[in-house]
């Protein structure tokens, strides 16, 4: 740990990205959490709905322009963000060049209709309930500071009505005159928590604007980015973690998690986090980027993310282990059994993927490809976050190390028994 009075030095986290150690002159005593993109996964739904409405008013907009416009206001109050999107994209009603300008109220009303019918699809972010349970168990005073107006809050949490039941106070975007990046909402949360010194508060945020607001409030900031361009967080976050799985509260003087396990005591590099609930997914094997075999010598059996959105959203981007089964419909097909696997899910920073991918590596030598055959995955544990490696050699070395961690974990009885799970073995036709 870094001593509070020492000059901090940048250090490289387990994921290969640089973070700054905490150097707060006072102990962190209170935690303030953002909601959207931090505790609940609304961002993808909002992006989908808002993007469709924007295209309705300007069919010429490409995916990149829409994404940049939406990400540029992520963290703002809905009406504030709508106003800036319209201004930046110069939107007019129904795309008519000589038509009246679209108003923020009109854009918000259109998106509301669609979103209000779909908030029930929203899941909690991976690790959110784990973090809230830790704070509750150790009685750490916790507040919510969200840009969401009060009238939308219950709808967003309809599928998770008890998520905030132990949060000491809730501050919504309509309770302050100015939204993020203005610090007002965080100062309001501190006031309701009875905090005298804002620097004793740790804010957990997913957006650059939210981090900027928390910093302006004089608080310590832990970023868990929902935007892939991490440079946008520079100067606004004291620490950056790729997911809530990777948050270590002990670095801030808070109680630590006790569910991470080390394969070898004292060797924290080789550790794993068992999933509270295993994640199952199945689908036909699809062609990937062709780089697994050609560039890395590591053939992966990719699945299409689109039909598996619910399962994919339940996993933070990162590296996992578990069991895989390859079903056979023809005796000439390969597979027909259950295999150990290590899996990457996310955007693969080294290759800078434009979309999320599911890339399991089955730890077995197959006689041939098995495209279009059904692949079943039973995901049991988390190994590490995604990382951007300096060289392809470093990437290959780390993937092989992940495979060794997976093999060791799957030999443990708590994970080995899952190889016989009915989801995997039902209807398999062995060679």
């Amino acid at each position: 740990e870094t001593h509070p009075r020492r000059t901090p030095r940048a250090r490289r986290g387990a994921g290969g990205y640089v973070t700054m150690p905490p150097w707060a002159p006072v102990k962190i005593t209170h935690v303030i959490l953002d909601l959207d993109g931090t505790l609940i996964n609304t961002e993808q739904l909002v992006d989908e709905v808002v993007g469709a409405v924007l295209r309705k008013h300007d069919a010429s907009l490409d995916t990149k322009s829409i994404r940049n416009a939406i990400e540029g206001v992520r963290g703002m109050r809905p009406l504030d963000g709508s106003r800036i999107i319209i201004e930046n994209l110069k939107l007019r009603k129904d795309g008519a060049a000589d038509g009246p300008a679209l108003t923020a109220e009109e854009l918000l009303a259109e998106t509301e209709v669609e979103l209000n019918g779909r908030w029930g699809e929203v899941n909690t972010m991976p690790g959110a309930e784990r973090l809230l349970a830790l704070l509750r168990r150790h009685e750490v005073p916790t507040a919510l500071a969200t840009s969401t107006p009060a009238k939308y809050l219950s709808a967003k949490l309809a599928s998770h009505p008890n998520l905030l039941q132990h949060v000491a106070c809730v501050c919504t975007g309509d309770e302050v005159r100015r939204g993020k990046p203005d610090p007002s909402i965080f100062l309001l949360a501190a006031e309701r928590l009875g905090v005298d010194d804002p620097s004793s508060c740790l804010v957990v945020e997913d957006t650059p604007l939210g981090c900027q607001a928390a910093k302006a409030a004089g608080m310590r900031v832990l970023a868990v980015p929902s935007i892939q361009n991490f440079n946008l967080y520079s100067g606004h976050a004291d620490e950056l973690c790729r997911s809530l799985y990777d948050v270590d509260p002990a670095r801030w003087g808070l109680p630590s998690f006790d569910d991470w396990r080390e394969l070898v005591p004292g060797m924290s590099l080789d550790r794993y986090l068992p999933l509270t609930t295993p994640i199952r997914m199945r689908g036909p094997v699809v062609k990937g980027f062709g780089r697994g075999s050609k560039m890395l010598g590591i053939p992966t059996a990719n699945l299409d993310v689109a039909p598996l959105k619910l399962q994919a959203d339940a996993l933070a981007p990162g590296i996992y282990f578990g069991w895989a089964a390859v079903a056979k419909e023809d005796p000439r097909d390969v597979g027909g059994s259950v295999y150990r696997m290590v899996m990457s899910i996310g955007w693969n920073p080294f290759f800078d993927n434009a979309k999320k991918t599911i890339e399991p590596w089955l730890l077995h030598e197959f006689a041939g490809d098995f495209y279009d055959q059904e692949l079943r995955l039973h995901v049991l544990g988390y190994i590490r976050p995604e990382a951007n490696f300096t060289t392809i050699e470093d990437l290959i070395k780390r993937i092989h190390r992940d495979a060794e961690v997976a093999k060791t974990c799957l030999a443990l009885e708590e994970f080995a028994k899952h190889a016989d799970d009915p989801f995997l073995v039902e209807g398999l036709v062995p060679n």
Side-chain angles (χ1 to χ4, degrees):
E1 290 292 334
T2 301
H3 192 279
R5 292 184 178 83
R6 292 176 184 165
T7 301
R9 294 180 298 170
R11 62 182 177 185
R12 191 165 296 279
Y17 48 88
V18 174
T19 64
M20 292 297 292
W23 51 278
V26 294
K27 185 179 184 297
I28 295 297
T29 56
H30 297 73
V31 173
I32 302 176
L33 302 169
D34 173 54
L35 180 67
D36 296 272
T38 301
L39 296 181
I40 59 174
N41 190 3
T42 54
E43 310 288 31
Q44 292 181 42
L45 174 60
V46 170
D47 289 0
E48 175 191 337
V49 170
V50 174
V53 173
L54 295 179
R55 284 193 180 92
K56 171 188 167 184
H57 293 285
D58 187 348
S60 69
L61 290 173
D62 58 31
T63 300
K64 183 177 181 180
S65 298
I66 291 174
R67 183 179 69 246
N68 290 343
I70 294 173
E71 288 189 348
V73 301
R74 189 163 285 168
M76 287 186 178
R77 295 181 296 188
L79 191 61
D80 296 339
S82 297
R83 189 173 291 114
I84 291 176
I85 287 176
I86 291 169
E87 180 181 329
N88 289 343
L89 296 179
K90 298 177 174 56
L91 291 176
R92 296 190 172 275
K93 288 185 182 179
D94 301 320
D98 56 350
L102 187 68
T103 68
E105 289 78 8
E106 289 168 335
L107 176 58
L108 188 57
E110 285 190 60
T111 57
E112 267 186 37
V113 172
E114 180 72 14
L115 287 171
N116 286 343
R118 297 184 61 184
W119 287 128
E121 301 175 19
V122 170
N123 287 318
T124 56
M125 294 296 291
E129 293 177 75
R130 171 175 173 259
L131 175 60
L132 287 167
L134 176 81
L135 298 174
R136 178 179 68 249
R137 192 162 59 247
H138 293 279
E139 300 181 340
V140 178
T142 304
L144 182 80
T146 175
S147 294
T148 297
K151 69 175 183 177
Y152 300 133
L153 189 59
S154 59
K156 284 186 175 182
L157 295 172
S159 299
H160 311 281
N162 298 321
L163 186 67
L164 304 178
Q165 64 177 338
H166 296 290
V167 170
C169 61
V170 173
C171 304
T172 56
D174 51 350
E175 294 187 276
V176 292
R177 290 183 59 191
R178 293 179 296 276
K180 302 173 186 177
D182 187 273
S184 298
I185 196 163
F186 289 115
L187 294 174
L188 176 62
E191 178 184 338
R192 289 181 177 174
L193 286 171
V195 174
D196 294 323
D197 182 0
S199 67
S200 66
C201 294
L202 176 66
V203 173
V204 183
E205 258 282 359
D206 72 296
T207 69
L209 291 176
C211 292
Q212 184 180 341
K215 262 299 178 191
M219 300 175 180
R220 303 302 176 192
V221 185
L222 193 162
V224 185
S226 61
I227 296 175
Q228 293 304 302
N229 184 358
F230 293 168
N231 292 329
L232 297 176
Y233 296 83
S234 179
H236 305 312
D238 297 292
E239 183 178 13
L240 185 150
C241 295
R242 287 188 180 264
S243 80
L244 291 176
Y245 287 155
D246 307 306
V247 171
D248 181 5
R251 291 184 64 179
W252 298 91
L254 294 167
S256 61
F257 289 110
D258 58 7
D259 47 0
W260 275 100
R261 303 179 193 172
E262 295 179 346
L263 288 182
V264 179
M267 292 182 63
S268 59
L269 178 64
D270 291 332
R271 61 178 193 160
Y272 62 94
L273 177 66
L275 297 183
T276 305
T277 303
I279 301 297
R280 298 178 177 91
M281 56 182 82
R282 69 200 302 167
V285 176
V286 299
K287 288 188 179 292
F289 299 95
R291 62 197 179 207
S293 299
K294 295 177 183 176
M295 294 182 64
L296 306 177
I298 300 169
T300 57
N302 296 8
L303 291 178
D304 184 3
V305 173
L308 297 169
K309 183 179 183 301
L310 185 65
Q311 297 90 330
D313 286 352
L315 297 171
I319 312 303
Y320 296 82
F321 65 86
W323 295 100
V326 181
K328 296 172 57 177
E329 294 186 0
D330 186 303
R332 293 168 295 182
D333 290 340
V334 301
S337 189
V338 176
Y339 310 95
R340 297 172 296 185
M341 70 92 181
V342 62
M343 178 182 78
S344 167
I345 184 167
W347 287 268
N348 200 323
F350 185 84
F351 293 104
D352 194 22
N353 290 352
K355 65 179 183 177
K356 199 172 188 178
T357 60
I358 301 173
E359 303 182 55
W361 177 25
L362 278 57
L363 305 177
H364 177 81
E365 293 289 335
F366 290 92
D369 295 329
F370 43 94
Y371 293 121
D372 299 321
Q373 289 180 233
E374 183 183 76
L375 177 64
R376 306 170 190 172
L377 303 179
H378 191 61
V379 187
L380 297 169
Y382 175 75
I383 297 175
R384 64 172 178 86
E386 291 187 296
N388 192 357
F389 294 90
T390 305
T391 67
I392 197 166
E393 290 76 19
D394 288 339
L395 172 61
I396 293 170
K397 182 178 179 181
R398 179 65 245 198
I399 293 173
H400 280 280
R401 185 64 206 167
D402 295 334
E404 292 304 313
V405 172
K407 291 176 183 177
T408 304
C409 288
L410 293 168
L412 301 173
E413 175 56 26
E414 66 175 308
F415 302 122
K417 63 184 181 183
H418 288 274
D420 297 324
D421 190 281
F423 169 78
L424 291 171
V425 302
E426 184 177 2
L428 282 187
V429 179
N431 288 319

